[in-house]
């Protein structure tokens, strides 16, 4: 005991105690509110039950719920709708990366534009849903703007009813909400790139497009990879726009909306839990595939980094020699 007390009173012992004390609370909350509910959801997925079903009356069905997930047409038909949101997310990332590249340099009014674009991300998803619900309503905001552009109202589709356009309209609301967040993340990454890399590239006669593909893009590949993975996984679990704007009607019910209806309306809790586990596995596999694909696409970025690092070193050497020559010339003139 004396040895333990002596160790606790020592500097290393106090550091260890502080680290453990700071870790206990977040780990406890993480286990209590994340891992334990996830384990319970896995357990529930093997039962046929409702919310109010007591534990003694829950019927164990094994893998039947998982088999039903793959047998139901509405589940995977809803999962196909995520393609609209993935397409919108990819378009959004390209535009966000382009504007971030422009705004990362000195641009008049750039800070105001950043604030305006980032503001939608601060708004609740429910509020954004209601905003776009009125925005797309017949003869409301969007139709009025199009009529100003000489479109006739009877020639315009019902944006939330016509199944040819309603899912694209819902995906556009997600693009508007998350565009600013991705742009700000890209700007922060681009501004961390060493400015001397651009000087080294200019010495070799590289234009702006070549600088983007050989300096900016390889330098921010981690953020690009992260944003792509988050965008695709978020698209697979899209919920707010179809639930708030259309309630999943007219062919807009995504996988999460169908799962919510099965759990809360039909009271098939076990089946809904199985759907959640299947979606988790799909997202997990999709993330691994994305990382492998992006690693392959960025396979030459390390070589570009090394090349421009050598050029940057050479540029620094040239600057030092120039300063030395200039200093020597000044001292020589002074002695004369």
């Amino acid at each position: 005991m004396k040895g333990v007390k002596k160790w606790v009173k020592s500097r290393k012992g106090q550091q260890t105690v502080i680290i453990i004390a700071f870790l206990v609370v977040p780990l406890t909350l993480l286990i209590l509110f994340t891992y334990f509910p996830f384990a319970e959801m896995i357990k529930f997925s093997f039962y046929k039950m409702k919310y109010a079903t007591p534990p003694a009356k829950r019927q164990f069905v094994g893998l039947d719920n998982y088999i039903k997930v793959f047998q139901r047409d509405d589940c995977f038909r809803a999962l196909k709708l995520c393609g609209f949101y993935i397409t919108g997310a990819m378009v959004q990332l390209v535009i966000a990366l382009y504007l971030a590249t422009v705004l990362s340099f000195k641009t008049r009014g750039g800070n105001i534009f950043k604030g305006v674009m980032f503001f939608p991300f601060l708004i609740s998803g429910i509020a954004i849903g209601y905003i776009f619900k009125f925005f797309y309503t017949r003869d409301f905001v969007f139709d009025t703007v199009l009529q100003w552009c000489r479109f006739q109202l009877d020639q315009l589709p019902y944006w939330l009813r016509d199944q040819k356009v309603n899912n694209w309209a819902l995906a556009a609301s997600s693009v508007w909400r998350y565009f600013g967040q991705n742009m700000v993340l890209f700007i922060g990454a681009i501004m961390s790139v060493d400015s001397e890399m651009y000087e080294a590239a200019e010495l070799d006669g590289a234009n702006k497009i070549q600088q983007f593909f050989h300096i900016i893009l390889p330098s921010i590949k981690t953020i690009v990879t992260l944003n792509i993975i988050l965008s695709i996984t978020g698209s697979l679990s899209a919920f707010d726009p179809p639930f708030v704007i259309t309630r999943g009607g007219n062919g807009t019910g995504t996988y999460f909306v169908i799962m919510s209806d099965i759990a809360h309306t039909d009271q098939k809790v076990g089946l809904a839990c199985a759907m959640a586990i299947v979606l988790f596995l799909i997202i997990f596999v999709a993330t691994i595939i994305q990382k492998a694909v992006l690693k392959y696409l960025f396979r030459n970025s390390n070589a570009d980094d090394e090349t421009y690092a050598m050029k940057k070193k050479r540029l620094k050497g040239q600057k030092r020699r120039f300063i030395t020559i200039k200093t020597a010339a000044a001292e020589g003139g002074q002695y004369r």
Side-chain angles (χ1 to χ4, degrees):
M1 290 295 294
K2 291 183 178 179
V4 174
K5 291 181 179 179
K6 185 177 179 181
W7 178 81
V8 170
K9 291 180 180 179
S10 65
R11 182 181 180 84
K12 186 175 181 180
Q14 290 179 353
Q15 289 177 345
T16 305
V17 170
I18 291 172
I19 292 171
I20 293 174
F22 275 99
L23 285 176
V24 166
V25 174
L27 286 177
T28 302
L29 294 175
L30 183 65
I31 294 171
L32 186 62
F33 293 104
T34 302
Y35 296 128
F36 178 71
F38 183 74
E40 287 293 297
M41 184 177 66
I42 295 175
K43 184 179 75 173
F44 292 157
S45 68
F46 296 105
Y47 287 87
K48 183 179 180 180
M49 54 177 286
K50 297 181 179 181
Y51 282 111
T53 303
K57 294 185 178 180
R58 293 172 184 170
Q59 182 182 354
F60 181 80
V61 293
L63 297 175
D64 285 354
N65 286 327
Y66 291 93
I67 295 172
K68 288 180 180 178
V69 172
F70 290 94
Q71 289 177 341
R72 292 177 65 109
D73 292 335
D74 56 347
C75 293
F76 283 90
R77 186 171 62 247
L79 194 60
K80 291 178 182 177
L81 298 181
C82 297
F84 293 97
Y85 297 90
I86 292 175
T87 304
M90 294 300 101
V91 173
Q92 162 202 295
L93 288 175
V94 171
I95 298 174
L97 183 57
Y98 170 75
L99 291 178
T101 305
V102 174
L103 294 173
S104 60
F105 302 99
K106 292 182 179 180
T107 307
R108 183 177 298 178
N111 291 331
I112 297 175
F113 185 79
K114 294 175 192 175
V116 172
M117 291 295 102
F118 186 73
F119 179 73
F121 181 70
L122 304 177
I123 305 175
S124 167
I126 304 298
I128 289 177
Y130 280 108
I131 289 172
F132 277 90
K133 186 173 184 177
F134 290 106
F135 180 78
Y136 287 126
T137 299
R138 188 67 168 180
D139 205 17
F140 268 54
V141 180
F142 194 38
D143 285 348
T144 301
V145 172
L146 291 176
Q147 288 179 73
W148 290 346
C149 298
R150 301 301 178 88
F151 286 93
Q152 298 298 322
L153 182 62
D154 56 356
Q155 296 176 349
L156 298 175
Y158 286 84
W159 302 105
L160 300 179
R161 293 183 187 177
D162 190 345
Q163 295 189 18
K164 294 180 180 179
V165 296
N166 55 6
N167 284 298
W168 291 114
L170 296 180
S173 67
S174 294
V175 171
W176 183 77
R177 181 184 181 188
Y178 294 105
F179 168 78
Q181 178 204 20
N182 291 320
M183 187 185 70
V184 170
L185 289 174
F186 284 139
I187 290 174
I190 292 172
M191 293 182 69
S192 65
V193 178
D194 192 346
S195 60
E196 292 184 352
M197 300 280 277
Y198 302 113
E199 297 179 16
E202 288 176 356
L203 287 177
D204 290 342
N207 56 32
K208 296 297 182 183
I209 297 177
Q210 291 172 330
Q211 290 179 26
F212 173 79
F213 283 105
H214 294 285
I215 296 178
I216 295 177
L217 197 57
S219 299
I220 65 170
K221 61 185 178 182
T222 303
I223 297 298
V224 172
T225 303
L226 177 64
N227 278 344
I228 292 175
I229 290 175
L230 291 177
S231 296
I232 293 179
T233 54
S235 299
L236 290 172
S237 56
F239 177 73
D240 288 351
F243 182 77
V244 178
I245 299 175
T246 61
R247 293 290 178 179
N250 299 314
T252 60
T254 57
Y255 192 89
F256 248 73
V257 174
I258 300 298
M259 185 172 66
S260 177
D261 289 339
I262 290 174
H264 301 115
T265 304
D266 301 337
Q267 289 288 304
K268 297 179 180 180
V269 178
L271 179 59
C273 291
M275 288 182 65
I277 299 300
V278 170
L279 181 62
F280 169 76
L281 294 175
I282 291 172
I283 291 175
F284 181 74
V285 172
T287 302
I288 294 176
I289 294 173
Q290 289 172 72
K291 291 188 70 174
V293 171
L294 292 171
K295 185 177 180 180
Y296 175 78
L297 293 176
F298 285 114
R299 65 189 184 280
N300 296 324
S301 61
N302 292 331
D304 290 336
D305 290 343
E306 293 176 1
T307 300
Y308 280 104
M310 293 174 62
K311 291 177 181 177
K312 184 178 73 172
K313 186 176 180 180
R314 185 185 67 190
L315 181 64
K316 286 183 177 179
Q318 291 176 352
K319 286 183 176 180
R320 282 197 294 268
R321 285 195 297 271
F322 176 75
I323 293 172
T324 302
I325 294 170
K326 187 176 180 180
T327 304
E331 290 177 352
Q334 183 179 359
Y335 287 122
R336 289 180 186 175

